[in-house]
Amino acid sequence: MGGLPTYRWRLAPDGYATRRQLRALGLRPGGQDVAAELQRPRRRRGPLVAYLYRIDRAKPVRPMTPGRRAALAKAMTARRTCPSCRRDAGYCIPRSLGMCVPCSDTPTA
């Protein structure tokens, strides 16, 4: 049984990081496989698992290009635009409602 090395929560050795920790350092996994995992026990369910990557094999984050920035801005505008009143709501429209809050509160005739 040659699985991944497993460490208890907060007891991982130096040199390993989660995706979020890598991102905070300006790095990305860069195609490497998961090197280890952290497990945090819970009482009534299975343990929480966080995958760890080696920092020395991580690559720098790719810079944001103008095309990617424009595509991201367009996607966020679509998420903020109400489909019924066509206004920018100023926040991301909840998927549960499918429209802005004022439109969802207005009764339909």
Side-chain angles (χ1 to χ4, degrees), residues 6-74:
T6 303
Y7 301 102
R8 296 210 21 120
W9 202 252
R10 298 179 188 249
L11 296 178
D14 292 337
Y16 291 98
T18 62
R19 282 182 179 268
R20 284 188 179 198
Q21 291 168 337
L22 286 176
R23 187 62 181 213
L25 295 172
L27 301 171
R28 61 187 169 95
Q32 66 173 301
D33 292 331
V34 174
E37 68 181 18
L38 284 176
Q39 287 192 352
R40 179 177 174 201
R42 296 192 288 182
R43 291 180 189 222
R44 293 188 174 98
R45 292 184 274 171
L48 288 174
V49 176
Y51 297 113
L52 299 173
Y53 300 90
R54 292 190 41 181
I55 295 175
D56 59 345
R57 292 186 183 171
K59 296 180 180 176
V61 174
R62 293 183 185 124
M64 183 69 78
T65 63
R68 288 175 69 192
R69 189 178 307 278
L72 183 60
K74 187 176 178 181

Side-chain angles (χ1 to χ4, degrees), residues 5 14 17 20 23 31 77 88-89 93 100 105 108:
D14 292 337
R20 284 188 179 198
R23 187 62 181 213
T77 301
D88 185 348
I93 304 294
C100 65
D105 288 343
T108 57

